[in-house]
Amino acid sequence: MTIPIAYNLRNLAVRRTTTIMTVSGIALTVAVLLAALALINGLRTAFQSSGNPVNILLLRKGSNSELSSTMPREVFQDMLFKSGIARVPGSDRPLASLEIITTINLPRTGTPTGMPVILRGLLPVGIGLRSLRLQEGRWFQTGQREIVVGKFIAKRCREAHLGGRLRFGKRDWDVVGVMDGGESVVNSEIFGDLNQVSSSCNRPDLLNSILLRAVGPTTVPALVNSLNDDQRLNVLAQTEKAYYDR
């Protein structure tokens, strides 16, 4: 038994180049696997932390994501007074936000290449539909070219700090706030006024999605079915939680 072991140990020393390459290959494979598992775990944590079970997301029927969905403004007007939609406290206004999202490229700190991020234009009520808090500054004002950036973007983009200015869509945008969405995907998004963002994207009438809130958990199934069955709307309604889980 000692001869094979001694031979193998001596062989490792004699063929040190092959040994080093083999060990390095195994180490690299393990490192890539760990990086992939860490990425998957991070994405899973972010998506599971996103969404509210009483929020309902509306996409165009046949779409599988907000980016691939198109939503005319008329649909938003047609569904506003559906039974089961919660109202803004003290008023008759529905808790519903028409939204547009697109991707933009921002310069990244420490690297010559940029990073793609999600730009979301939304109504002010859309902020209240999400679990957010301001880390710095204030929220954007309606009708102004102002944006609020997620905390991860503020860390990674050298210009995305409070008081900074970003340029995209042939316009300059003032960074007036940094938002914290806990562990949700919102930390990697930029929020701005719906009409300003849609105008900058040259899409004033064709947007992406609608986010609304049901009166309560018991009304969610009926409201989802009512929205999906309405032939005028031609939408796919699902809970926000189900969307991110999927």
Side-chain angles (χ1 to χ4, degrees), residues 8-76:
N8 288 332
L9 292 175
R10 186 168 65 252
N11 188 55
L12 292 176
V14 171
R15 300 183 180 181
R16 61 174 61 90
T17 301
T18 303
T19 301
I20 292 173
M21 291 179 64
T22 302
V23 172
S24 299
I26 294 172
L28 181 60
T29 301
V30 172
V32 171
L33 176 61
L34 290 175
L37 291 175
L39 175 62
I40 292 171
N41 185 64
L43 288 172
R44 181 180 292 113
T45 299
F47 287 129
Q48 287 178 343
S49 300
S50 301
N52 188 312
V54 293
N55 282 353
I56 298 174
L57 181 67
L58 275 63
L59 306 177
R60 184 176 180 272
K61 191 167 290 186
S63 303
N64 55 18
S65 72
E66 286 186 274
L67 279 170
S68 63
S69 171
T70 54
M71 185 75 64
R73 287 182 183 265
E74 291 77 12
V75 172
F76 183 66

Side-chain angles (χ1 to χ4, degrees), residues 134-152:
L134 274 174
Q135 185 171 288
E136 296 180 87
R138 59 174 175 82
W139 294 109
F140 62 84
Q141 293 181 345
T142 302
Q144 301 298 317
R145 289 198 295 271
E146 298 176 340
I147 52 175
V148 177
V149 302
K151 63 179 182 180
F152 291 163

Side-chain angles (χ1 to χ4, degrees), residues 87-117:
R87 305 291 162 180
V88 176
S91 76
D92 194 41
R93 290 185 295 117
L95 279 171
S97 174
L98 180 61
E99 302 185 355
I100 180 173
I101 69 169
T102 186
T103 56
I104 59 174
N105 199 61
L106 296 181
R108 184 171 183 173
T109 303
T111 61
T113 58
M115 61 176 183
V117 300

Side-chain angles (χ1 to χ4, degrees), residues 13 56 63 85 108 113 122 172 207 212 222 233 240:
I56 298 174
S63 303
I85 299 178
R108 184 171 183 173
T113 58
L122 68 166
D172 290 328
L207 309 175
L212 59 88
L233 302 180
E240 189 184 22

